[in-house]
Amino acid sequence: MKRTLYLKFLLAYIIFAFFGFIVVATFTSSMTLEQLKRERADALYKEALLIADSYAADLYNSEITLESVWRQINAIDTFVDASIWIVNPSGLVILDSNTPPNIENPTTIPNFSPTITGSSFYTVGNFFGMFDEEMLSAFAPITAQYKVKGYVIIHASMTELERSCNSLLNISYLTLVILFLLSLIILLFFTEIVYMPLRKITHATEQYAVGNFRYEFQIDSEDEIGYLAASLAYMASEVAKGEDNQKRLVANISHDFRSPLTSMRGYLEAMLDGTIPTELHEKYIGVVLNETDRLTKLTNSLLTLNNLNTKGMILDRSDFDINQVIKNTAASFEGTCRSKMITIELVLTGEEMFVNADMVKIQQVLYNLVDNAIKFSHKNTSIKIETTEKSNKLFVSVKDSGIGIPADSLKLIWNRFYKTDLSRGKDKKGTGLGLSITKEIIQSHNENINVISTEGVGTEFIFTLEKVEDD
């Protein structure tokens, strides 16, 4: 991942600032000037209407002298800061607020036409060439006896409007600069709470990509980025554990395969070179067969675990009598129990007890538990298999009076290939996979399995099954 996110963000910020100033300089400037022009024109038009309805009307009705009207509009000129003209329909300027009345040399507006304003009441320009600069000119008709006798025209300089517009724009520019400076706080927050954590996460992913799953990093945040970082760290730790487990698995498999293979090779070579006499061949061939049985059992257990871990365990659920399955399993160990002088005691609930589960897999669970109990039991002892009902669950217990499990090993017995130190001398053919398979099967049924053990006293495994309710 190229580290350009921060540069992109900065570039976006600069572009945003640039276009912000462009907008203020163009659209905002134009709209502000237009608004000021409309407000000024409206004020001038209202003033022109008042003059047209009062002084100008009285003038045309011969109720007031020309000099009196001039004095009035001259005073109003000073108040509104604009030139006031009274013009007749032909364009003759009767009065100009800036110039005393001059009847002998009147001013005439060339090509005068009141339609210059179009559909509005004002116009902007040099007013038929009468001014050297742009003026805002507002018209108000003077009427008498329903006829237009003339016009009151008020001229205001556009320079003043533009100066006012620039003053307002300066305020806008200043405000915009302050806003952009304040928005730098967002950039600082982005750097601290987004960009820097992302840098850490990116570096961590690079470390994980090259196989360094023990790389540690910390992001003190409770938002989505913090959750992402925690999830990534947790994923890496789980992958590291998986890698460790894989290494241990390979090491254990190698050890468990190498030992019988070495033994088998040694016996066979000894038979071939005559170290083992011919009359003992049968005995050692039996030893070799036992070792092959061990390898077969290990291979089958590995295949079983592999099937359990790919696409989940497929269960063939059905209703069956667990009591009968327990009896059949116990019967299969009759020969082994006889040789070790061990008895199996069955304490079963009812004549029949139906549960809903995969019968074959539950039979495998029972086989594994009973097999373990026999291996680690002393001679002349008893193994007890008991079932108990609680609500809609059936609890199945397999209890022995054997060597027990040390307290520090109880949490480890479910791990693949794990064997306690006490069991290593007794369980010569064990693979260390039986309890792992047992737990996988029970958990795939959404049930639980627990163990209670005291070293030197014995061990009890208890698992649950879903009981079939009686109709």
Side-chain angles (χ1 to χ4, degrees):
M1 174 182 174
K2 294 183 178 180
R3 297 170 183 171
T4 58
L5 179 62
Y6 195 68
L7 293 177
K8 290 179 180 178
F9 192 84
L10 279 176
L11 181 61
Y13 180 81
I14 294 171
I15 292 174
F16 179 71
F18 174 75
F19 279 105
F21 280 102
I22 292 296
V23 168
V24 171
T26 55
F27 295 103
T28 304
S29 174
S30 175
M31 289 187 294
T32 302
L33 182 60
E34 186 65 27
Q35 181 63 26
L36 290 175
K37 185 167 63 176
R38 287 179 179 277
E39 290 178 356
R40 180 65 164 158
D42 187 61
L44 295 178
Y45 178 67
K46 290 179 180 178
E47 196 64 40
L49 283 176
L50 288 174
I51 296 172
D53 293 340
S54 56
Y55 307 119
D58 292 342
L59 176 64
Y60 275 92
N61 291 327
S62 301
E63 296 177 3
I64 192 171
T65 63
L66 200 64
E67 288 76 8
S68 296
V69 174
W70 180 82
R71 284 194 297 270
Q72 292 296 333
I73 63 175
N74 180 260
I76 295 172
D77 177 314
T78 305
F79 177 72
V80 299
D81 190 23
S83 299
I84 303 172
W85 291 1
I86 297 177
V87 182
N88 68 8
S90 63
L92 179 66
V93 179
I94 298 173
L95 285 177
D96 181 351
S97 62
N98 294 321
T99 305
N102 186 354
I103 298 175
E104 295 180 357
N105 296 306
T107 302
T108 301
I109 302 171
N111 303 317
F112 174 75
S113 173
T115 60
I116 191 176
T117 60
S119 59
S120 182
F121 53 85
Y122 70 93
T123 183
V124 176
N126 60 7
F127 201 72
F128 301 102
M130 299 297 292
F131 298 98
D132 295 330
E133 60 176 325
E134 281 198 337
M135 303 293 287
L136 174 66
S137 304
F139 279 67
I142 305 169
T143 58
Q145 296 179 355
Y146 304 105
K147 292 182 179 181
V148 175
K149 300 295 185 178
Y151 301 92
V152 175
I153 305 173
I154 303 180
H155 305 283
S157 174
M158 283 295 295
T159 303
E160 291 299 322
L161 283 179
E162 290 170 355
R163 189 177 294 116
S164 298
C165 177
N166 290 333
S167 298
L168 291 176
L169 285 178
N170 288 336
I171 297 173
S172 298
Y173 283 125
L174 181 61
T175 304
L176 190 62
V177 169
I178 292 173
L179 286 176
F180 278 116
L181 290 176
L182 290 175
S183 65
L184 285 175
I185 297 174
I186 299 176
L187 185 61
L188 295 176
F189 270 106
F190 172 81
T191 303
E192 183 64 27
I193 67 178
V194 177
Y195 179 68
M196 294 308 295
L198 282 178
R199 283 285 302 274
K200 291 182 179 180
I201 291 174
T202 302
H203 183 66
T205 56
E206 291 172 349
Q207 293 296 314
Y208 299 151
V210 297
N212 183 16
F213 294 106
R214 303 211 185 298
Y215 176 79
E216 294 183 0
F217 71 104
Q218 184 176 0
I219 294 177
D220 298 323
S221 176
E222 296 182 358
D223 56 14
E224 289 81 356
I225 291 181
Y227 180 76
L228 173 63
S231 300
L232 187 64
Y234 176 75
M235 179 198 70
S237 66
E238 290 300 307
V239 172
K241 289 179 184 178
E243 193 176 55
D244 291 341
N245 291 335
Q246 184 181 21
K247 290 178 180 178
R248 283 196 296 269
L249 177 65
V250 172
N252 287 328
I253 291 175
S254 299
H255 176 270
D256 281 8
F257 270 90
R258 184 173 59 246
S259 296
L261 287 173
T262 301
S263 175
M264 292 163 61
R265 181 183 179 87
Y267 289 131
L268 291 174
E269 287 178 345
M271 284 187 285
L272 285 174
D273 62 19
T275 304
I276 297 176
T278 305
E279 61 270 17
L280 295 179
H281 281 190
E282 184 176 352
K283 173 186 175 181
Y284 287 99
I285 287 174
V287 174
V288 171
L289 287 175
N290 286 334
E291 293 298 321
T292 60
D293 289 341
R294 181 180 171 187
L295 288 176
T296 301
K297 185 177 180 180
L298 177 60
T299 303
N300 290 336
S301 296
L302 289 172
L303 290 174
T304 300
L305 278 177
N306 182 66
N307 291 333
L308 295 182
N309 290 332
T310 56
K311 300 181 181 179
M313 184 183 297
I314 300 175
L315 299 178
D316 184 16
R317 281 181 174 269
S318 63
D319 296 343
F320 62 91
D321 181 13
I322 187 66
N323 289 352
Q324 188 60 50
V325 173
I326 293 172
K327 291 174 185 177
N328 294 340
T329 304
S332 67
F333 287 97
E334 183 178 347
T336 306
C337 290
R338 187 182 300 112
S339 64
K340 293 190 67 173
M341 291 177 286
I342 294 173
T343 60
I344 298 179
E345 179 185 358
L346 303 182
V347 182
L348 307 179
T349 303
E351 291 295 326
E352 293 181 335
M353 178 57 61
F354 284 88
V355 296
N356 181 265
D358 187 317
M359 186 177 70
V360 174
K361 289 185 172 59
I362 295 302
Q363 190 170 20
Q364 185 178 3
V365 167
L366 286 167
Y367 185 91
N368 289 346
L369 294 179
V370 174
D371 186 45
N372 265 6
I374 293 173
K375 286 176 184 176
F376 304 119
S377 290
H378 303 296
K379 289 185 177 181
N380 298 312
T381 58
S382 176
I383 296 171
K384 183 179 181 181
I385 304 176
E386 183 178 5
T387 60
T388 308
E389 289 184 85
K390 288 184 182 179
S391 300
N392 65 331
K393 295 291 183 182
L394 182 72
F395 289 75
V396 181
S397 166
V398 178
K399 184 177 182 180
D400 64 58
S401 301
I403 62 176
I405 303 171
D408 57 354
S409 297
L410 282 176
K411 291 183 178 179
L412 303 175
I413 61 173
W414 309 109
N415 293 348
R416 300 173 184 181
F417 293 101
Y418 181 78
K419 296 181 182 181
T420 66
D421 293 334
L422 293 176
S423 71
R424 290 186 184 275
K426 298 180 70 68
D427 187 17
K428 296 295 185 181
K429 295 184 180 180
T431 63
L433 295 173
L435 290 179
S436 295
I437 295 173
T438 296
K439 188 170 185 179
E440 293 275 0
I441 292 174
I442 295 300
Q443 287 184 338
S444 70
H445 284 78
N446 295 320
E447 301 293 343
N448 298 306
I449 183 168
N450 294 305
V451 60
I452 303 170
S453 184
T454 303
E455 190 174 348
V457 176
T459 303
E460 180 181 13
F461 286 92
I462 305 170
F463 64 90
T464 61
L465 291 173
E466 181 183 347
K467 188 166 66 75
V468 176
E469 297 293 337
D470 297 331
D471 293 335

